[in-house]
Amino acid sequence: MLDALHRFEVSPGDTILVCGGTPHAIGAENFLLEIQEPSDYTMRLEKTTLAGEALTPKQIHYGVGEEAMLDCFDYTPHTREEIKEMFFLEPKETDKGTHMLVDYNDTTCFALERVGGGSHRFELPHFVTVVVTKKGGKLVCASGEHALTAGDKFFIPASTPFELNDATALICYPPKK
């Protein structure tokens, strides 16, 4: 299966939006944040882990069955150039000095915004998850000030004001209604 896929070199900060049903693999030595549409199913093509551990049918296809599972994939062949055009996204600078990595024009399933330094205040009508990508800075909210370390994650309820000060983080937005 891997031989049927295109291989791409990636760099820190690259944003790749892989649409549901697209066979894909993540290469060794890549650290990434994977965000996906809320779903009860993630279909796996592999039957063993990289460590050689056998996966159960439930872990592979949640009881849907292998034949039915394979129907969910899009097998349309694409050139490397088509893949880059379809899935690699360029950040869009916002008027508040952040960057939208994935916006609701790309997919209605979620959005993703990058904050890199400075002071940014938010009060959103829906929940968000904040994922810190670099040590330093603070998250300030009603519960106080929180010094940030890479890998920290915060769930922010709807209509809850918060600030990110001198922080490098990603803000993960829910599906668009």
Side-chain angles (χ1 to χ4, degrees):
M1 181 67 159
L2 290 176
D3 291 339
L5 302 177
H6 293 287
R7 183 178 296 265
F8 293 92
E9 294 295 321
V10 293
S11 300
D14 282 352
T15 303
I16 304 165
L17 178 63
V18 180
C19 300
T22 304
H24 62 284
I26 300 161
E29 300 183 19
N30 284 295
F31 179 76
L32 59 94
L33 174 65
E34 183 174 8
I35 302 167
Q36 67 184 42
E37 174 183 8
S39 170
D40 291 337
Y41 299 106
T42 297
M43 304 298 175
R44 301 173 117 183
L45 294 174
E46 64 273 8
K47 292 186 178 185
T48 59
T49 67
L50 292 175
E53 184 179 316
L55 297 171
T56 67
K58 184 175 182 181
Q59 291 172 306
I60 296 169
H61 54 68
Y62 292 87
V64 169
E66 287 185 28
E67 289 303 315
M69 174 190 82
L70 294 175
D71 290 341
C72 78
F73 291 104
D74 178 357
Y75 297 100
T76 306
H78 296 288
T79 65
R80 289 181 59 76
E81 293 73 28
E82 289 171 330
I83 295 289
K84 283 200 81 95
E85 180 69 27
M86 291 167 55
F87 299 123
F88 285 70
L89 303 179
E90 292 296 323
K92 302 167 193 100
E93 189 165 356
T94 70
D95 57 0
K96 57 187 182 225
T98 64
H99 288 89
M100 289 305 296
L101 303 179
V102 179
D103 66 28
Y104 292 122
N105 292 319
D106 300 315
T107 178
T108 58
C109 299
F110 57 84
L112 183 65
E113 183 174 13
R114 182 177 57 214
V115 175
S119 181
H120 302 279
R121 186 174 196 294
F122 299 87
E123 186 170 352
L124 303 164
H126 45 71
F127 72 88
V128 295
T129 302
V130 175
V131 180
V132 180
T133 57
K134 184 177 177 185
K135 182 179 180 177
K138 292 182 180 168
L139 181 138
V140 181
C141 59
S143 66
E145 287 189 8
H146 304 275
L148 302 176
T149 299
D152 287 348
K153 296 169 279 309
F154 298 89
F155 178 83
I156 310 290
S159 303
T160 301
F162 70 98
E163 290 180 27
L164 289 169
N165 296 319
D166 298 318
T168 304
L170 297 171
I171 302 174
C172 309
Y173 293 85
K176 185 175 182 177
K177 292 183 179 180

